């Protein structure tokens, strides 16, 4: 409803729309206060009320909406009052925009609890007091805009700890003191505006301070030094109270000793890295063991650039919402070997320009950090660095699956070149893949500590190895349930999560059931055949069990042979099971996992057990 001519107050009855996921009333002429009933919208992921004439305080109830994960934009209104400590409840929010209002008081230190924030815009208000050093705990923050307020005190050196910060705007405040030299270390910073404050002292000479187009300090009369292009006066030389001779007697011996030690250290490093010597050190053998305990060496951006031919299009093997996947070859020191081997890897590069990409990177790292299972994608290492242009760079390196994703096998065009290389999947292969997926989810739900909910189970997230072993990947939306009974929200667009908005094992079971139906029907939920509200689930249920052949993948039905029978063997032939018992049983598991009432669905443990029994029966009949 944005960009209309809506007038008057926002009706409190809007709080009755408890299933609402997004609310956008921006660019209207709405007035009055924000109704506290918005706090009832506990599935809301995005709230945009910008560009109106709203007044009063922001209701505390809104700050308790943990479902808000995309944006809360209240900019360009007439809202006032302090920003309450309750803002700490926005733990999943990526973007908070309060620009152009009349907020006042000090910035609450509780902002540091909003760990998912990537953009924080509080400019154009009346905030006063000092900048909380605790903001440095927002490690994923990419933009911090506190311009045009009444902030005072010095700039906290702690802000240099925000390694991903790209934009920092502190102009038009009453800040005093010197510019912290620590800000030189923010290699990701491309915009720094400190203009129109009361800063003094020397301007640092490295990092962002050498970028004349990205660094602004106009309106600070007492600054000096800096690079020549800034045209600032020279800083007064420090008074030398010590005789030059005495200074030389101290400095020269110290420098000589330091030079001697540096030479010794260089010789020691050269000796350790000679051919035949171990090349693995504590610094480069692992990335602090955060992702894998298997002692792989640290991977740099330069190595990944070389491994993927500078991320060439010819190496591109997949594109997703938050980035791209490239095929590469890396010399890796594998466990149990003394020399590096060239290993084919899949390099997932995150597009950090996308809102939520940084959060997704952290989610995958957390989810994959401690899990070990043959049917879960194995992470080799990660790269946290900057690219050739100085931009922040994040990538995960996985084992390469030469048979790519399951959806490519299920949705092949009969006339495509792929079909000449990739044969149709047999019943046994489909059952093997189904069991592998079920075992992986069963592990996540029952054996992983903490319990992990995948949140995005679908064929495109199931990868196949050279021997057709299925592994579940893409944990960008995964949720770790640290406490029994805890709830969270999931931003995936799958049917189950899209309607309930809550994360639970039931949601994964539902998604697995739909995936199972895709495996045996060869159709996806977005198939052109599903129109006028018809769904894949309804399509299968209408023919189950007596007319199951009407919905099965045609590739499973024999073109020649016994009518109504199906091959359970390999692609080269096999025994036939009458009445499609094998397939009917498998489809029954899929339907049992997609029941409308969540607690009536099978658990992943029961689903895996049933599928293994079906596979065993099918193999025995085929043999």
């Amino acid at each position: 409803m944005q960009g209309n001519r809506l007038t008057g107050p926002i009706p409190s009855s809007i709080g009755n729309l408890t299933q609402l996921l997004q609310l956008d009333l921006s660019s209207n002429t709405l007035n009055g206060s924000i109704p506290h009933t918005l706090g009832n919208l506990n599935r809301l992921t995005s709230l945009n009320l910008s560009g109106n004439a709203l007044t009063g305080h922001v209701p505390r109830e809104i700050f308790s909406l943990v479902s808000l994960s995309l944006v809360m934009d209240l900019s360009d209104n007439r809202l006032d009052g302090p920003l309450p400590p309750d803002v700490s409840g926005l733990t999943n929010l990526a973007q908070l925009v309060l620009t152009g209002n009349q907020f006042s008081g000090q910035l609450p230190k509780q902002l540091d609890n909003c760990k998912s924030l990537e953009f924080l815009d509080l400019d154009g208000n009346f905030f006063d007091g000092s900048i909380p050093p605790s903001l440095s705990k927002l490690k994923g923050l990419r933009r911090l805009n506190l311009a045009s307020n009444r902030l005072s005190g010095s700039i906290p050196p702690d802000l240099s700890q925000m390694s991903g910060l790209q934009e920092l705007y502190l102009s038009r405040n009453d800040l005093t003191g010197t510019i912290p030299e620590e800000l030189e270390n923010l290699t990701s910073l491309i915009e720094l505006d400190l203009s129109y404050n009361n800063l003094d002292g020397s301007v640092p000479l490295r990092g962002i301070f050498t970028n004349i187009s990205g660094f602004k300090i106009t309106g600070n009369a007492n600054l000096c030094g800096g690079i020549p292009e800034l045209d600032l006066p020279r800083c007064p030389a420090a008074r030398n109270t010590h005789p030059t001779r005495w200074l030389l007697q101290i400095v020269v011996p110290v420098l000589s000793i330091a030079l001697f030690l540096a030479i010794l250290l260089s010789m020691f490093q050269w000796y350790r890295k000679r051919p035949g010597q171990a090349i693995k050190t504590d610094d480069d053998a692992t990335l602090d063991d955060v992702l894998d305990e298997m002692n792989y060496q640290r991977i740099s951006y330069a190595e990944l650039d070389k491994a993927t031919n500078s991320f060439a299009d010819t190496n591109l093997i997949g594109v997703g919402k938050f980035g791209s996947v490239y095929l590469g070859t890396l010399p890796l020191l594998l466990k149990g070997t003394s020399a590096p081997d060239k290993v084919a890897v899949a390099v997932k590069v995150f597009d950090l320009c996308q809102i939520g990409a940084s959060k997704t990177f952290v989610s995958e790292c957390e989810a994959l950090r401690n899990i070990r299972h043959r049917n879960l994608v194995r992470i080799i290492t990660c790269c946290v660095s900057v690219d050739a242009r100085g931009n922040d760079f994040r990538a995960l390196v996985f084992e390469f699956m030469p048979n790519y994703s399951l959806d490519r096998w299920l949705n092949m065009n009969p006339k495509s070149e792929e079909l000449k290389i990739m044969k149709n999947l047999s019943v046994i292969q489909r059952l093997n893949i189904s069991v592998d997926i079920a075992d992986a989810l069963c592990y996540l739900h029952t054996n992983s500590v903490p319990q992990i909910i995948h949140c995005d189970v679908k064929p495109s997230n199931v990868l196949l190895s050279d021997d057709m072993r299925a592994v579940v990947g893409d944990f960008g939306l995964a949720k770790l349930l640290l406490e029994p009974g805890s709830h969270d929200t999931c931003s995936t667009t799958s049917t189950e999560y899209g309607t309930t908005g809550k994360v639970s094992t039931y949601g994964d079971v539902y998604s697995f059931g739909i995936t199972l139906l895709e495996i045996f029907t060869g159709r996806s939920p977005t198939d052109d055949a599903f129109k006028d509200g018809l769904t894949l689930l309804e399509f299968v249920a209408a023919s189950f069990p007596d007319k199951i052949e009407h919905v099965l993948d045609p590739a499973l039905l024999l073109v020649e042979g016994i009518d109504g029978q199906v091959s359970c063997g390999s692609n080269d032939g096999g025994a036939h099971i009458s009445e499609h018992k094998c397939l009917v049983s498998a489809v029954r598991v899929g339907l049992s996992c997609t029941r409308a009432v969540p607690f009536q669905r099978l658990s992943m443990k029961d689903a895996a057990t049933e599928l293994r029994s079906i596979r065993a029966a099918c193999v025995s009949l085929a043999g």
Side-chain angles (χ1 to χ4, degrees):
M1 292 186 285
Q2 72 275 19
N4 289 286
R5 298 179 180 178
L6 300 177
T7 60
I10 301 174
S12 60
S13 58
I14 201 169
N16 296 328
L17 303 176
T18 55
Q19 305 300 313
L20 200 61
L21 296 180
Q22 295 187 346
L23 176 59
D24 190 346
L25 298 175
S26 61
S27 301
N28 285 288
T29 53
L30 298 170
N31 55 32
S33 59
I34 300 174
H36 67 87
T37 54
L38 289 184
N40 298 332
L41 307 181
N42 54 17
R43 293 179 183 172
L44 201 65
T45 61
S46 174
L47 174 63
N48 191 345
L49 304 179
S50 63
N52 284 286
L54 300 172
T55 57
H57 292 22
V58 179
R60 293 178 179 269
E61 290 83 355
I62 290 182
F63 297 116
S64 64
L65 288 175
V66 294
S67 58
L68 281 174
S69 58
L70 299 178
V71 61
M72 186 169 86
D73 190 348
L74 307 180
S75 61
D76 299 320
N77 282 286
R78 301 171 188 169
L79 300 169
D80 56 27
L83 187 59
D86 307 69
V87 71
S88 62
L90 300 175
T91 54
N92 296 309
L93 189 63
Q95 186 171 6
L96 177 60
V97 186
L98 303 180
T99 301
N101 281 286
Q102 299 171 19
F103 291 108
S104 58
Q106 297 190 1
L107 296 176
K109 63 179 182 180
Q110 289 82 359
L111 273 169
D112 64 9
N113 196 50
C114 303
K115 303 295 186 183
S116 299
L117 274 180
E118 296 184 36
F119 300 93
L120 179 58
D121 297 309
L122 305 179
D123 52 305
N125 285 285
F126 301 110
F127 289 115
D128 55 30
S130 59
I131 300 174
S134 58
L135 288 178
S136 62
K137 296 180 181 179
L138 300 177
K139 302 300 184 184
L141 202 64
R142 295 161 58 188
R143 182 173 69 222
L144 175 60
N145 193 344
L146 302 177
S148 300
N149 280 287
R150 297 174 178 175
L151 298 171
S152 58
S154 59
I155 301 173
D158 307 65
L159 296 184
S160 63
Q161 299 172 18
M162 304 168 75
S163 57
L165 195 64
Q166 298 176 0
E167 302 171 59
L168 177 59
Y169 302 103
L170 302 178
S171 63
R172 299 186 184 278
N173 281 285
D174 296 317
L175 299 174
T176 56
T178 59
I179 301 174
E181 289 188 3
E182 290 85 349
L183 295 181
E184 293 179 331
N185 301 324
L186 280 175
T187 56
S188 59
L189 200 61
I190 57 177
E191 291 284 344
L192 175 62
D193 190 350
L194 305 179
S195 56
Y196 298 103
N197 280 285
N198 296 306
L199 300 172
D200 56 31
S202 62
V203 175
L205 294 169
R206 294 180 298 178
I208 183 62
F209 301 101
T210 64
N211 183 358
I212 193 66
S213 62
F215 172 49
K216 299 178 179 61
I217 52 169
T218 305
N220 290 278
N222 296 319
L223 288 175
C224 62
I227 61 175
E229 289 84 353
L230 295 175
D231 198 25
L232 293 174
R234 295 180 61 182
C235 294
R239 185 178 179 183
N240 187 1
T241 59
H242 304 284
T244 302
R245 181 178 298 178
W246 184 86
L247 184 63
L248 290 175
Q249 290 176 346
I250 298 296
V251 172
V252 171
V254 169
L255 289 178
S256 300
I257 294 173
L259 180 61
F260 177 72
L261 291 176
I263 294 173
L264 283 180
L265 181 61
S266 299
M267 293 178 64
F268 175 73
Q269 292 291 339
W270 173 82
Y271 176 80
R272 291 194 66 187
K273 294 186 177 180
R274 288 184 307 160
Q277 298 294 322
I279 64 171
K280 185 172 61 174
T281 67
D282 289 340
D283 181 55
D284 61 5
T286 66
L287 187 59
D288 298 326
D289 289 328
V290 172
L291 299 173
D292 205 325
E293 298 176 357
M294 295 180 64
N295 287 343
Y296 287 114
Q297 67 265 37
R298 184 190 295 263
I299 299 297
S300 68
Y301 170 81
E303 290 174 287
L304 291 185
D305 183 71
K306 180 179 179 181
T308 58
N309 296 320
S310 298
F311 303 101
D313 290 342
T314 53
N315 288 60
L316 186 66
I317 57 177
V319 178
K321 179 180 179 182
F322 294 115
S324 305
V325 181
Y326 296 87
L327 174 62
T329 303
L330 283 172
L332 295 176
L333 189 64
L334 302 176
K335 188 175 183 180
T337 62
S338 58
D341 290 330
K342 287 188 176 181
V343 178
V345 295
V347 182
K348 183 175 182 179
V349 179
F350 288 79
D351 181 3
L352 299 181
C353 292
Q354 297 291 330
I355 293 179
S358 294
K359 183 178 178 182
T360 299
F361 175 77
V362 174
S363 296
E364 289 217 51
C365 291
E366 281 296 314
L368 294 168
R369 178 174 180 174
N370 296 314
I371 58 176
R372 299 289 185 276
H373 193 276
R374 68 181 298 273
N375 298 123
L376 293 173
V377 66
R378 184 172 69 89
I379 190 169
I380 294 174
T381 186
C382 77
C383 179
V384 179
S385 183
V386 293
D387 62 18
R389 297 180 178 179
N391 297 322
D392 224 13
F393 181 83
R394 301 286 185 270
L396 294 174
V397 182
F398 298 97
E399 60 176 329
F400 174 61
M401 292 289 146
N403 280 316
Y404 299 101
S405 58
L406 175 59
D407 64 321
R408 292 179 64 166
W409 289 77
L410 298 178
N411 302 312
M412 284 189 295
N413 186 328
K415 299 181 180 179
S416 70
E417 291 295 321
E418 278 188 331
L419 191 57
K420 298 177 182 179
I421 304 173
M422 302 162 62
K423 298 179 180 180
N424 288 317
L425 295 173
S426 68
V427 174
I428 289 297
Q429 286 177 317
R430 296 180 196 232
L431 283 171
N432 285 337
I433 291 169
S434 301
V435 170
D436 286 345
I437 301 172
D439 284 344
L441 294 176
C442 180
Y443 170 84
L444 294 177
H445 291 182
T446 60
N447 298 106
S448 175
V449 179
Q451 183 185 47
I452 297 176
I453 311 300
H454 188 279
C455 287
D456 202 14
V457 180
K458 56 186 178 182
S460 60
N461 288 339
V462 176
L463 306 175
L464 300 173
S465 66
D466 52 357
D467 61 355
M468 299 303 287
R469 169 175 55 90
V471 299
V472 177
D474 201 336
F475 283 74
L477 298 176
K479 300 294 181 182
L480 282 65
L481 301 188
L482 300 176
E483 300 178 4
S486 64
H487 294 285
D488 206 336
T489 57
C490 195
S491 57
T492 180
T493 56
S494 69
T495 303
E496 176 68 5
Y497 293 121
T499 55
T500 67
K502 286 187 177 180
V503 168
S504 73
T505 56
Y506 296 129
D508 272 1
V509 172
Y510 182 94
S511 297
F512 170 74
I514 294 296
T515 299
L516 205 57
L517 298 183
E518 291 187 63
I519 290 173
F520 290 100
T521 65
R523 296 175 182 268
S524 72
T526 58
D527 196 290
D528 291 339
F530 303 135
K531 299 178 180 178
D532 301 323
L534 179 65
T535 65
L536 173 62
L537 180 57
E538 293 167 341
F539 172 72
V540 175
S543 298
F544 184 83
D546 297 331
K547 299 179 180 180
I548 193 66
E549 65 274 5
H550 292 172
V551 298
L552 289 175
D553 187 342
L556 290 175
L557 301 175
L558 296 178
V559 177
E560 297 179 2
I562 303 174
D563 184 41
Q565 296 180 343
V566 65
S567 172
C568 282
S570 67
N571 289 310
D572 299 324
H576 301 87
I577 304 172
S578 61
E579 300 180 350
H580 306 175
K581 290 181 181 178
C582 179
L583 295 170
V584 169
S585 298
V587 171
R588 179 180 288 111
V589 174
L591 294 174
S592 297
C593 290
T594 52
R595 289 171 179 156
V597 180
F599 67 81
Q600 292 181 352
R601 298 169 193 161
L602 293 177
S603 67
M604 284 313 309
K605 182 177 182 180
D606 291 339
T609 300
E610 288 201 26
L611 286 169
R612 279 195 292 269
S613 298
I614 295 168
R615 180 180 62 181
C618 193
V619 169
S620 64
L621 288 167

